[in-house]
Amino acid sequence: MYAERAHSHKVEVEAASHAVYVSHPKEVAALIEEAAQKVTP
Amino acid sequence: MKSLMTLLRLVARFAAAITVLNALAVSALGAPPVKNIVLVHGAFVDGSGWQGVYEILVKDGYQVSVVQHPLSSLEDDVAATKRALDRLDGPCILVGHSYGGAVITEAGIDSHVAALVYIAAHAPDEGETEAGNGKKFPNSSRPLVKTPDGFVFLDPANFPEDFAADLPPALAGFMAHAQTPTAAKVFTTPITNPAWKLKPSWYLVAKADKTINPDLE
């Protein structure tokens, strides 16, 4: 709901727990880097 | 004299054309990319859980700050985040996990913030609370333990399965016993100024999340 409502660029990580920021650092860092590269400051 | 005027007109046109070309080149290159990343942890944990993400971002050339906020009130946590933002020398991506999403939603109004990244995080609207949204989209965790002075945390016995089922048991066990009790009021404090309405955002949904219902994410 949150992602759709904010019109966020959304990715999903299958089988990831709430601790996804610890368990899937590559996917998390990739999304952050996408934001850094695509946004116009 | 006439030929001199013609020459001057040609020079003026040439100069104007160069100016236009320069402007086009600048707009094609765009503004310099964002190099600052600020990471905001969620409830019950501290910033050390970002270490894996931090190391990748630093290797890739980013300047990364990890906020250590006290989890004592939404106001305190937003203030701690703004303290980190105020030290930046340029624009940043502001990242929040879990309750950290509520913090970045409020702190993201800051002029340093170019975009928001939500990692299995709350992004409440104006007047909404995490607790209220959690009732509309119930999670599948067991109830929190409450302290007499208004703080909450996960029963360490439940933490690995309810919060960190995809982590090695030893790490989940350590996190379970190293929790930061969190003021219960942070989950019932309404958001006043949601930055996601004004700034672009990215969102990562954790599909097996038991703490925040993936449908709410």
Side-chain angles (χ1 to χ4, degrees):
Chain A
M1 186 279 271
Y2 287 137
E4 278 77 20
R5 184 171 70 179
H7 307 294
S8 306
H9 309 267
K10 186 174 94 168
V11 297
E12 298 183 337
V13 181
E14 294 296 329
S17 80
H18 192 57
V20 62
Y21 71 114
V22 185
S23 62
H24 291 75
K26 280 184 195 164
E27 290 84 346
V28 172
L31 189 68
I32 295 168
E33 293 190 8
E34 185 187 313
Q37 286 155 18
K38 288 195 177 164
V39 75
T40 309
Chain B
M1 188 64 188
K2 196 175 175 187
S3 63
L4 180 61
M5 290 300 287
T6 306
L7 181 64
L8 283 173
R9 267 200 296 274
L10 275 173
V11 168
R13 272 188 206 161
F14 184 69
I18 292 289
T19 305
V20 169
L21 282 173
N22 275 338
L24 282 175
V26 167
S27 74
L29 288 170
V34 175
K35 297 309 280 180
N36 296 302
I37 313 287
V38 177
L39 305 173
V40 179
H41 65 77
F44 318 124
V45 300
D46 64 31
S48 64
W50 289 115
Q51 188 173 354
V53 172
Y54 169 92
E55 286 173 356
I56 294 170
L57 294 171
V58 167
K59 180 172 66 65
D60 291 345
Y62 292 92
Q63 308 273 346
V64 186
S65 313
V66 180
V67 179
Q68 297 283 14
H69 48 98
L71 301 174
S72 47
S73 70
L74 178 61
E75 187 185 14
D76 290 347
D77 296 337
V78 169
T81 302
K82 292 213 170 196
R83 205 170 292 130
L85 296 173
D86 285 343
R87 295 176 57 206
L88 300 176
D89 58 1
C92 78
I93 305 298
L94 184 59
V95 184
H97 169 249
S98 189
Y99 157 69
V103 178
I104 70 166
T105 293
E106 199 78 57
I109 294 295
D110 187 282
S111 61
H112 291 93
V113 178
L116 303 157
V117 178
Y118 291 91
I119 307 298
H122 285 279
D125 200 351
E126 182 182 351
E128 287 182 352
T129 67
E130 281 197 31
N133 291 343
K135 278 187 188 132
K136 290 177 205 158
F137 293 85
N139 68 14
S140 43
S141 288
R142 285 157 284 188
L144 298 170
V145 180
K146 294 176 183 158
T147 70
D149 61 344
F151 284 72
V152 290
F153 58 95
L154 277 79
D155 182 331
N158 298 338
F159 187 98
E161 190 184 329
D162 289 357
F163 193 98
D166 58 353
L167 288 183
L171 177 55
F174 172 74
M175 290 172 69
H177 291 93
Q179 291 181 70
T180 307
T182 301
K185 66 184 178 189
V186 307
F187 305 120
T188 55
T189 304
I191 292 295
T192 59
N193 207 357
W196 53 260
K197 286 195 165 168
L198 305 171
K199 302 188 181 183
S201 58
W202 277 256
Y203 201 108
L204 185 145
V205 175
K207 293 289 278 178
D209 195 330
K210 291 186 169 183
T211 304
I212 301 178
N213 185 331
D215 292 338
L216 176 57
E217 298 178 3

